[in-house]
Amino acid sequence: MSAPSAVPDRAPLRMALIMSAAASMLIGLNAGLTRLAVPAPVDSVELGTRHGPIMVFGFMGSLIALERAQALRNPLAYLAPALMSLGALALAIGPSPRLGHILLIDGTLAFTVVVFLLWRRAPVTLVAVQVLAAVLAALAAAFLFNHEVPAVIGLLTAFLVITITAERAELAQLSMGPSATRVPVVVAAGMSLGAVGSLADSEIGARILGATLLLTCGWLLRDDISRRFIRLDGQRRFLGAALLMGTLWLAVAGCVWLARGTGDAAYDTGIHAVFLGFGMSMIMAHAPIIFPTVLSRPLPYRPVMWAPLGMLHVGMVARVVGDLLHLTPLHQTGGIMTVLSMLLFGATAAYSAARG
């Protein structure tokens, strides 16, 4: 009898994809500094206009797609995060931005197929709403081919919020009870309506998104584990604090968009409350839980992880206050702090993984 074939070790591939996501993050942070009108390693106004797609697709989207590809356990599934990362890099340094947009469309379509196959394998509600989120991401990538970022911010917001809240419900389904499957459907419906509606009327779409974000915040505060875990210690307190602060930023974005639509200050406050205050906080919260399955090595919690988390939220407060009060130096200081917090998070995660 022949010996059974060895299971291929895809850890090097996953590490390469994580490094490409990290490269997108670094480029996106540089672009963010140029948008803040502060010194940046590469001072490029054109790069600054691509800050949003690079961060959402190249960094956050590729990490989400990588985790889903790992769950599917099919080597072709890794095309989704690879194409997203390549698309973001092509937007930044490629010969033509159109190439970057095409790669992003291909990557989001591949991601949609991956999540759909996960739903076929486990046809449950929480995976179905993630399929919807992936479709919205693909729609955003397609619209970006001929539209500017503000036109698709609703689609990008819906993609991120639906995906993360569905994954939160998966992780905390026992403690959430029946709301873990019911509320994500309502959230997905409201976010989708607001996102698609914003393509026709940005003000109406923003207000629908704002109302849905407030609903999402209320649900997570009531049923998620954040309020219980923050009373404990160690990793559970860190997780609870990151979840709680991220959820509260959804309320900030919801209030601003519901009250003020998408005016200049409301636009900047809303998108950074969602993508930085909420999205990045959730990434920091789940890094010690999810990254080990992707890295195939432990990434244990360490107290030093509080430093980037605290810096992120202090910087967000300064940025939002500076936005709303038109205090440019405070707005810039807050933005710089959030950039430093993400760099520090990358360093602490690498340190924790290296120490094992």
Side-chain angles (χ1 to χ4, degrees):
M1 293 178 65
S2 59
S5 59
V7 177
D9 181 10
R10 299 194 182 97
L13 171 61
R14 295 195 296 270
M15 180 58 70
L17 291 171
I18 288 175
M19 295 305 295
S20 65
S24 294
M25 182 190 78
L26 292 175
I27 295 171
L29 293 179
N30 183 101
L33 291 174
T34 63
R35 291 186 65 84
L36 287 167
V38 298
V42 178
D43 189 7
S44 169
V45 175
E46 186 177 7
L47 180 61
T49 63
R50 298 166 190 167
H51 165 67
I54 292 171
M55 290 297 292
V56 176
F57 290 122
F59 174 52
M60 292 182 172
S62 65
L63 287 180
I64 292 169
L66 176 57
E67 190 268 333
R68 297 285 83 185
Q70 170 73 357
L72 188 61
R73 298 189 179 278
N74 184 314
L76 291 177
Y78 292 101
L79 280 173
L83 288 168
M84 285 192 193
S85 293
L86 288 173
L89 295 175
L91 276 182
I93 59 178
S96 168
R98 289 190 172 272
L99 172 62
H101 287 303
I102 291 171
L103 290 171
L104 289 180
I105 293 170
D106 291 340
T108 52
L109 289 174
F111 175 55
T112 303
V113 172
V114 168
V115 185
F116 175 75
L117 292 176
L118 286 171
W119 176 78
R120 286 286 301 273
R121 191 172 72 184
V124 296
T125 302
L126 290 176
V127 183
V129 298
Q130 292 178 53
V131 176
L132 174 60
V135 171
L136 294 174
L139 188 60
F143 266 84
L144 276 173
F145 198 82
N146 289 313
H147 295 78
E148 298 299 321
V149 174
V152 300
I153 224 45
L155 293 169
L156 296 176
T157 298
F159 156 62
L160 188 74
V161 173
I162 294 171
T163 299
I164 292 179
T165 53
E167 292 193 349
R168 276 304 314 146
E170 280 186 323
L171 291 171
Q173 193 164 2
L174 290 178
S175 62
M176 283 185 171
S179 73
T181 53
R182 295 172 184 169
V183 179
V185 174
V186 178
V187 170
M191 296 297 295
S192 301
L193 178 62
V196 175
S198 66
L199 297 175
D201 189 311
S202 61
E203 295 302 310
I204 293 176
R207 285 174 168 82
I208 296 174
L209 287 171
T212 310
L213 290 177
L214 289 175
L215 168 66
T216 306
C217 174
W219 165 58
L220 292 175
L221 288 177
R222 188 191 69 178
D223 292 348
D224 206 357
I225 59 175
S226 58
R227 291 186 296 114
R228 286 174 296 217
F229 271 32
I230 203 169
R231 299 189 183 100
L232 304 177
D233 54 13
Q235 181 176 342
R236 289 177 296 181
R237 175 173 286 180
F238 175 79
L239 175 61
L243 293 176
L244 183 60
M245 289 187 285
T247 300
L248 291 176
W249 282 114
L250 283 186
V252 172
C255 289
V256 169
W257 281 347
L258 187 60
R260 302 179 60 175
T262 55
D264 290 340
Y267 175 81
D268 188 85
T269 297
I271 61 174
H272 289 97
V274 170
F275 292 101
L276 275 180
F278 173 69
M280 195 62 207
S281 192
M282 292 296 177
I283 289 175
M284 291 183 182
H286 294 105
I289 301 170
I290 293 178
F291 276 23
T293 63
V294 177
L295 294 168
S296 296
R297 63 179 301 153
L299 197 164
Y301 159 79
R302 300 183 189 280
V304 72
M305 292 178 175
W306 282 95
L309 181 66
M311 185 180 292
L312 171 71
H313 293 288
V314 171
M316 278 298 303
V317 170
R319 178 172 192 145
V320 168
V321 172
D323 258 347
L324 298 179
L325 299 182
H326 305 290
L327 301 174
T328 300
L330 183 61
H331 167 76
Q332 291 174 324
T333 300
I336 292 170
M337 288 183 68
T338 58
V339 168
L340 293 176
S341 74
M342 295 178 69
L343 295 175
L344 184 57
F345 165 70
T348 55
Y351 165 77
S352 183
R355 290 286 302 275

